[in-house]
Amino acid sequence: MIKITKELIDEHGINDKEYSFILESLGREPTITELGIFSAMWSEHCSYKSSKTWLKKLPTSNDKVIQGPGENAGVIDLGDGDAAVFKMESHNHPSYIEPYQGAATGVGGIMRDVFTMGARPVALLNSLRFGDINHSKTKHLLTGVVSGIGGYGNCMGVPTVGGEVEFNACYNDNILVNAMCVGIAKINKIFYSKASGIGNSVVYVGSKTGRDGIHGATMASAEFDDSSDEKRPTVQVGDPFAEKLLLEACLELMKEDIIIAIQDMGAAGLTSSAVEMASKGNVGIDLNLDKLPCREALMTAYEMMLSESQERMLMIIEPEKEKEAKSVFDKWGLDFATIGVLTDTNHIVIKHESEKKADIPLNILESGAPSYNRPYKIVTNPEVDQSYLLKSDKKIIDILKKLISSPNLCSRRWVWEQYDHMVMNDTILRPGGDSAIIRVHGTNKALAVCSDSTPRYCAADPTEGGKQAVAESWRNITSVGAKPIAITDCMNFGNPEKEEIMGQFAGVINGMVEACEILDYPVVSGNVSLYNETNGKGINPTPAIGGVGLLESLDHFSTPNFKRTNENIIILGDTKGHLCQSVFAYEIFGDSQGLPPKVDLILEKKTGDLVRNLVTKLKIDTVHDISDGGLLIALTEMSISGEIGFQLNIDKSNLNYSFLFGEDQGRYIISIEDKNLNDAIEYIEKSNISYLSIGKTNGKKIKIDRDNEIDIEELRDLYENWFKSYLKSN
């Protein structure tokens, strides 16, 4: 018998008040297994005890949402009996400790969330943040994470089609690895995790249980310090080939009327899956761990319940259907074991070696979990006069060259070329654009998917940054001509026990709420990752937004590359030249003062609706939103990808840094042939949206004025080669 000491309680991340509640609820001291269960279920990672009050504010429904937050993944209606199933989650701490396995198991875990719902995964995306490029660990972490993502996804045969990569010193000791998966299912074959049927069997399937990943959820709910490398044993080890077998076995069984409920074993492993399933169904659950398939000898009940070994599921099925179900998993060479039964006790009871190791009322673990209304203070940067950012004698073309070759604006080709992005043959628009496009297999419709975040905006003004994160996602879906439907999010923040950090979270949520409501773009799934700090220094607030939209027909959509010479280039939306918090300010001046650009959500929606109409009704096929780096960076990206140059023809008063590099929101660039120009202008003017004709596509050069022109190929070399040069350098 292990004695429960104050030191042991502290090691499990349980404070004095929480432990007193445990004693009061149980009427006795917990066993070591029970202490481990409380530690896992009450961790920030599993209980959202600092965030759930705020998360309740987010809009979670519209006429397309079938399932919002609360299940393994969100579900939206695509019409014709088809549904998209998707979610984004973090694997930050594990990826810093062991980058390959941390990232790989993050991908594996998010795919299980999706196929647990009955969907076949069709697309993976990611949102990655690394430290300063000169930090001693950055190259190691970058290459390890990218290899882990590619290794797992490629082996699974699921294309990685999009994502984002940012470098910033605030992530030096706390990188972010957010993984997103999108799957396709039939609406009448969606599976849920609510257990039901007293006497029904609790069945374990997949790989065997080992000692890897124990305390993973607790570790993910704590700050790092200089001893973080010692936490390597808490990182799970993945086997993508086993997961591929598990995927196919689950989908095969789902074709039959056998599964009552199903839940993957993610954070907190068997503990969370058993507790969540039983709690949702308002039933009890008895587990006999003597029957649990283990790959290591002499495992304790504590270890079995807290292991985060990968590629495992928990199912509820009727006893008389066990034989039929087992035959499927036998065929795929996977473990299948009946390890428990549903009861009417509303307790979780765990037995091992003929002893009762745990007996806990489920309501204590779920509804009784702590919920904190932490004090918060929303802090924004002071407003500054941006005129100091205009005082430079650098030529426009030299600034363009510096920006286009900078770590946060250069091509991500090296990254996405590590991934198989064409497998399954349904990738219509590959990485590198505003959104990827994935055909709904066997149809003429498609999904548009993207991931976005602008942490520097959120750090400067959390509320405005929260608006922008959602709006940028909506804009990227719109840019390809798709209708944005819903988002998943991954909320990455520092220590919520600090008022300013909690204020960042509150402010971002407030901004997201406003944007989701006005844009009709609800949150249907997601994840919160807090305590992203090392030695008391936190990351920038980073709400990663994964967007999903629908293209009703693949007969016509838009892409960002210029396609023809002598086309008219038009900006849609207001250009005021906002430079504070821009990439220009940071890269040219090393400056991070001031506030981010405002987001006018009403105008954002009007402009986006106009863009989609131009694409679908007037068949405009070149659209790119203006975001990081401003107008000239967007134009250059269009030029490089299309191998066609352009000549600007604008008033000399606009040939300045603010017009060319400002990051005003809600803007798009379109290019239009002469024969369609009048119709397009008429349509734009009827929509009452500001526009400006700024030049034409032409030749193989970018021409800004007489003193500022450059060959596309020279810019392409700068744009494409940063990653290769960086990774080759000492």
Side-chain angles (χ1 to χ4, degrees):
M1 179 72 73
I2 296 175
K3 181 174 175 58
I4 306 300
T5 62
K6 177 67 165 65
E7 183 181 22
L8 195 59
I9 296 166
D10 290 343
E11 286 175 1
H12 282 76
I14 295 173
N15 63 37
D16 292 345
K17 186 177 180 181
E18 290 169 353
Y19 189 68
S20 294
F21 181 71
I22 292 171
L23 292 176
E24 181 184 342
S25 300
L26 294 179
R28 57 176 171 80
E29 189 175 80
T31 66
I32 184 61
T33 302
E34 290 172 331
L35 185 66
I37 290 171
F38 276 109
S39 172
M41 293 305 301
W42 286 8
S43 68
E44 195 73 60
H45 194 76
C46 291
S47 74
Y48 295 170
K49 56 189 177 185
S50 298
S51 60
K52 56 189 172 187
T53 300
W54 287 94
L55 295 175
K56 291 176 182 177
K57 298 176 182 287
L58 290 167
T60 59
S61 64
N62 63 16
D63 61 355
K64 295 291 186 181
V65 174
I66 296 172
Q67 174 64 53
E71 270 293 340
N72 288 295
V75 186
I76 58 173
D77 189 349
L78 301 178
D80 307 311
D82 296 315
V85 181
F86 59 99
K87 189 180 183 183
M88 179 184 282
E89 279 201 341
S90 63
H91 231 221
N92 303 335
H93 286 28
S95 298
Y96 181 79
I97 296 168
E98 212 308 300
Y100 185 96
Q101 288 295 348
T105 52
V107 173
I110 198 63
M111 278 196 282
R112 286 195 303 279
D113 280 337
V114 167
F115 73 75
T116 299
M117 302 283 295
R120 179 172 290 280
V122 298
L124 294 166
L125 300 94
N126 50 73
S127 178
L128 311 177
R129 261 84 192 173
F130 300 98
D132 185 271
I133 60 172
N134 296 314
H135 189 269
S136 60
K137 286 190 175 183
T138 297
K139 283 183 189 177
H140 165 68
L141 293 168
L142 169 67
T143 54
V145 165
V146 171
S147 294
I149 291 170
Y152 208 103
N154 294 355
C155 290
M156 285 290 294
V158 180
T160 300
V161 299
E164 54 174 349
V165 182
E166 181 190 4
F167 299 91
N168 188 290
C170 74
Y171 306 107
N172 278 351
D173 299 305
N174 207 123
I175 65 172
L176 302 184
V177 177
N178 296 172
M180 177 179 172
C181 181
V182 185
I184 299 294
K186 291 296 181 182
I187 291 175
N188 62 353
K189 282 290 185 179
I190 303 293
F191 289 81
Y192 299 95
S193 58
K194 179 181 177 181
S196 64
I198 306 303
N200 280 336
S201 300
V202 181
V203 175
Y204 172 110
V205 298
S207 298
K208 289 180 169 60
T209 296
R211 289 188 170 93
D212 52 314
I214 294 172
H215 291 305
T218 307
M219 180 268 291
S221 306
E223 292 184 29
F224 275 172
D225 54 32
D226 293 332
S227 66
S228 59
D229 284 348
E230 297 173 7
K231 298 179 180 180
R232 190 167 279 109
T234 64
V235 179
Q236 310 92 329
V237 178
D239 181 350
F241 299 105
E243 177 134 329
K244 175 65 173 174
L245 297 175
L246 182 60
L247 162 67
E248 299 300 340
C250 286
L251 293 182
E252 182 175 332
L253 190 62
M254 286 168 170
K255 292 178 182 178
E256 310 299 327
D257 188 23
I258 293 177
I259 298 174
I260 295 171
I262 182 170
Q263 175 76 42
D264 87 292
M265 296 188 204
L270 181 56
T271 288
S272 63
S273 56
V275 169
E276 289 171 9
M277 293 178 83
S279 296
K280 288 176 181 177
N282 196 32
V283 296
I285 188 166
D286 286 5
L287 300 178
N288 181 359
L289 299 185
D290 294 337
K291 298 186 178 178
L292 189 73
C294 295
R295 67 170 184 262
E296 298 184 50
L298 304 176
M299 289 187 70
T300 65
Y302 178 96
E303 292 172 324
M304 293 179 198
M305 291 303 297
L306 295 183
S307 167
E308 294 184 8
S309 295
Q310 299 291 282
E311 296 87 39
R312 304 179 300 159
M313 298 279 192
L314 204 62
M315 295 179 177
I316 308 298
I317 62 177
E318 295 173 351
E320 58 268 24
K321 295 182 179 179
E322 285 183 38
K323 184 177 179 181
E324 184 181 352
K326 185 175 185 301
S327 68
V328 173
F329 286 86
D330 287 347
K331 183 181 81 172
W332 290 97
L334 297 166
D335 280 290
F336 180 103
T338 301
I339 65 168
V341 64
L342 298 184
T343 70
D344 62 359
T345 65
N346 293 110
H347 281 225
I348 180 170
V349 178
I350 298 163
K351 295 179 181 177
H352 184 227
E353 297 177 337
S354 303
E355 292 184 12
K356 186 184 289 187
K357 300 294 184 179
D359 186 348
I360 307 173
L362 285 163
N363 65 340
I364 300 174
L365 292 170
E366 278 285 284
S367 58
S371 179
Y372 296 121
N373 288 309
R374 298 197 185 276
Y376 67 94
K377 180 170 64 176
I378 300 176
V379 178
T380 65
N381 282 3
E383 190 172 1
V384 299
D385 183 349
Q386 71 172 34
S387 59
Y388 68 100
L389 294 171
L390 303 174
K391 297 175 182 177
S392 173
D393 57 1
K394 293 181 182 287
K395 290 179 64 175
I396 290 169
I397 210 70
D398 291 333
I399 291 174
L400 173 61
K401 288 163 67 174
K402 181 175 174 60
L403 292 183
I404 206 69
S405 61
S406 64
N408 288 326
L409 287 182
C410 70
S411 169
R412 270 62 181 138
R413 182 182 297 274
W414 176 86
V415 176
W416 56 260
E417 282 186 343
Q418 313 301 306
Y419 313 142
D420 190 334
H421 50 272
M422 298 302 293
V423 65
M424 301 177 74
N425 292 321
D426 281 320
T427 304
I428 305 299
L429 187 57
R430 65 184 187 177
D434 293 324
S435 294
I437 298 177
I438 306 295
R439 184 195 306 271
V440 178
H441 191 73
T443 76
N444 195 42
K445 60 189 177 188
L447 295 174
V449 293
C450 64
S451 63
D452 299 282
S453 188
T454 312
R456 66 184 185 278
Y457 288 1
C458 297
D461 185 336
T463 302
E464 208 64 36
K467 291 181 192 177
Q468 192 273 342
V470 174
E472 172 69 9
S473 170
W474 193 86
R475 207 179 299 141
N476 280 332
I477 298 290
T478 292
S479 292
V480 299
K483 170 67 175 174
I485 296 178
I487 64 175
T488 182
D489 60 34
C490 201
M491 308 292 284
N492 307 273
F493 292 78
N495 184 345
E497 297 168 48
K498 299 176 180 178
E499 287 191 3
E500 188 170 325
I501 302 299
M502 197 64 217
Q504 290 175 344
F505 187 87
V508 166
I509 289 288
N510 286 338
M512 289 176 61
V513 167
E514 188 176 347
C516 290
E517 287 177 343
I518 291 174
L519 300 176
D520 191 23
Y521 199 35
V523 179
V524 298
S525 60
N527 170 240
V528 177
S529 176
L530 302 178
Y531 295 96
N532 289 289
E533 296 199 0
T534 299
N535 293 326
K537 187 175 181 180
I539 64 166
N540 284 341
T542 310
I545 305 296
V548 178
L550 177 65
L551 268 173
E552 295 283 359
S553 171
L554 280 167
D555 291 343
H556 196 80
F557 56 88
S558 52
T559 61
N561 55 297
F562 288 137
K563 298 171 183 67
R564 293 165 290 272
T565 60
N566 203 40
E567 288 202 334
N568 301 276
I569 304 172
I570 292 175
I571 306 172
L572 298 176
D574 291 321
T575 298
K576 297 177 181 177
H578 190 100
L579 286 175
C580 289
Q581 297 301 324
S582 67
V583 177
F584 168 86
Y586 183 80
E587 292 290 341
I588 304 303
F589 287 86
D591 184 87
S592 58
Q593 299 182 77
L595 294 169
K598 294 286 186 183
V599 182
D600 184 331
L601 291 165
I602 302 296
L603 190 58
E604 185 83 57
K605 188 173 188 311
K606 284 180 63 178
T607 308
D609 291 345
L610 166 64
V611 169
R612 277 194 305 281
N613 283 329
L614 289 172
V615 173
T616 57
K617 295 180 180 179
L618 297 187
K619 309 303 181 189
I620 287 173
D621 61 2
T622 301
V623 179
H624 191 19
D625 82 308
I626 302 175
S627 55
D628 284 355
L631 169 66
L632 192 54
I633 293 298
L635 286 168
T636 301
E637 291 169 344
M638 298 170 82
S639 221
I640 291 172
S641 59
E643 300 183 357
I644 297 174
F646 62 85
Q647 169 80 61
L648 290 186
N649 182 21
I650 57 178
D651 189 278
K652 286 187 177 180
S653 63
N654 285 331
L655 286 174
N656 55 60
Y657 299 153
S658 58
F659 183 83
L660 295 172
F661 301 112
E663 295 182 9
D664 308 286
Q665 298 295 290
R667 297 184 298 158
Y668 302 79
I669 300 169
I670 60 175
S671 68
I672 309 171
E673 294 179 270
D674 284 341
K675 65 181 182 181
N676 298 323
L677 182 61
N678 289 337
D679 288 343
I681 295 298
E682 183 180 355
Y683 206 96
I684 294 167
E685 290 180 343
K686 282 183 179 178
S687 299
N688 201 30
I689 298 297
S690 298
Y691 72 96
L692 181 66
S693 181
I694 60 170
K696 285 207 168 188
T697 59
N698 191 26
K700 298 294 182 181
K701 289 188 175 185
I702 289 175
K703 298 180 180 180
I704 299 165
D705 64 7
R706 186 179 300 173
D707 300 319
N708 289 280
E709 64 177 62
I710 188 170
D711 289 339
I712 296 173
E713 286 306 309
E714 183 179 348
L715 285 173
R716 181 191 300 280
D717 287 343
L718 292 168
Y719 181 61
E720 295 285 1
N721 290 327
W722 183 87
F723 270 92
K724 293 177 182 177
S725 299
Y726 172 64
L727 293 170
K728 286 179 181 176
S729 62
N730 294 325

